Amino acid sequence: MTTPLVRAQALYRTYRVGSHEIRALQGVDLEVEKGSFVLIRGRSGSGKTTLLNCLGALDVPTGGRIWVGGREITDLSERERTLFRRFQVGFVFQSFALLPTLSAAENVEVMLRLAGVGAGERRARVQECLEMVGLSEHARHRPYELSGGQQQRVAIARALALNPPLILADEPTGELDSASAAEIWRLLRHLVDEQGRTVILASHDPAALAYVDEVYELVDGRLLRPEKSFRQSRDT
């Protein structure tokens, strides 16, 4: 029996806003196998972003345990969490989060600089990552010179820079038109099929169902049993 790449057990996350208590996650159990593409869907406020933030060590759960790659990350120190995020997880956000004064290549290179990668290796890796997302000819373009879909592909290239096994994508097509969104779904699917990446996606876009392997529904912080995706249903 294989060990899941990602496992969450009895995960809780509670916030206090003034005198109010917000229960963002309520006893979430989740297992994600290596090399799979998993969709977490749910209404706004259902806890999708909170769950991804906990899995990626951007947030600390109030209760429960999380393992990634067989290592428990729940009680890591702040420095350990930083190193975990840097090398084990690639993040893709709805708003792209690119640095506007830097070119596409420089945005990708930032992660490599933070990790202390040498100049020659940085150049080669940046080129490789931009080629993966089909943007090698746009390396010198700044974000404002790129379309929304192209900006998101730069963000994915940046997420791949340090070769992480896990990609967490939070509403990556939320600001894109349908054609650009389809490009992003195909790209993420390619990363799973051809590179063995594991992608956990939070999205309410129904078009994503055609590309993922498994679908979970989050309702008021509770994760429902997984369903087959449209992709699986079509193949069976």
Side-chain angles (χ1 to χ4, degrees), residues 4-204:
L5 180 70
V6 177
R7 182 158 70 98
Q9 183 181 76
L11 210 60
Y12 287 82
R13 184 63 172 102
T14 302
Y15 300 96
R16 282 207 168 272
V17 181
S19 60
H20 297 284
E21 184 177 84
I22 299 173
R23 298 178 179 178
L25 298 177
Q26 301 191 63
V28 167
D29 293 312
L30 174 67
E31 290 191 355
V32 177
E33 299 296 329
K34 181 181 178 181
S36 59
F37 192 176
V38 171
L39 168 63
I40 310 291
R41 65 178 181 175
R43 299 177 63 179
S44 179
S46 62
K48 301 189 303 297
T49 295
T50 299
L51 177 56
L52 260 60
N53 286 347
C54 287
L55 297 179
L58 288 171
D59 195 4
V60 180
T62 308
R65 304 169 72 185
I66 302 169
W67 295 264
V68 177
R71 178 191 186 188
E72 185 169 1
I73 67 168
T74 321
D75 298 320
L76 296 180
S77 68
E78 192 54 47
R79 173 172 169 73
E80 289 171 332
R81 294 170 69 81
T82 297
L83 293 174
F84 168 80
R85 290 191 299 265
R86 186 173 297 169
F87 293 103
Q88 299 300 314
V89 187
F91 295 94
V92 183
F93 303 103
Q94 176 176 339
S95 59
F96 318 138
L98 300 176
L99 297 172
T101 60
L102 301 186
S103 67
E106 290 166 337
N107 267 282
V108 177
E109 188 183 19
V110 164
M111 296 300 296
L112 299 162
R113 284 183 177 274
L114 289 173
V117 177
E121 188 178 347
R122 286 202 310 269
R123 285 193 295 271
R125 183 60 182 164
V126 167
Q127 179 65 21
E128 182 181 4
C129 289
L130 289 175
E131 286 177 359
M132 284 184 205
V133 301
L135 287 178
S136 56
E137 296 181 358
H138 297 274
R140 296 188 178 184
H141 291 188
R142 287 178 171 77
Y144 68 86
E145 298 174 304
L146 302 171
S147 69
Q150 289 171 329
Q151 289 183 61
Q152 192 59 288
R153 283 191 276 158
V154 173
I156 293 172
R158 179 186 58 196
L160 295 171
L162 290 171
N163 204 29
L166 176 63
I167 303 293
L168 298 177
D170 190 3
E171 297 285 3
T173 63
E175 297 185 7
L176 304 181
D177 58 43
S178 57
S180 297
E183 290 181 357
I184 298 303
W185 299 139
R186 287 193 292 268
L187 174 57
L188 292 174
R189 184 72 246 178
H190 175 80
L191 295 177
V192 172
D193 290 340
E194 301 302 322
Q195 298 187 16
R197 309 278 178 179
T198 302
V199 177
I200 304 178
L201 163 71
S203 179
H204 62 267

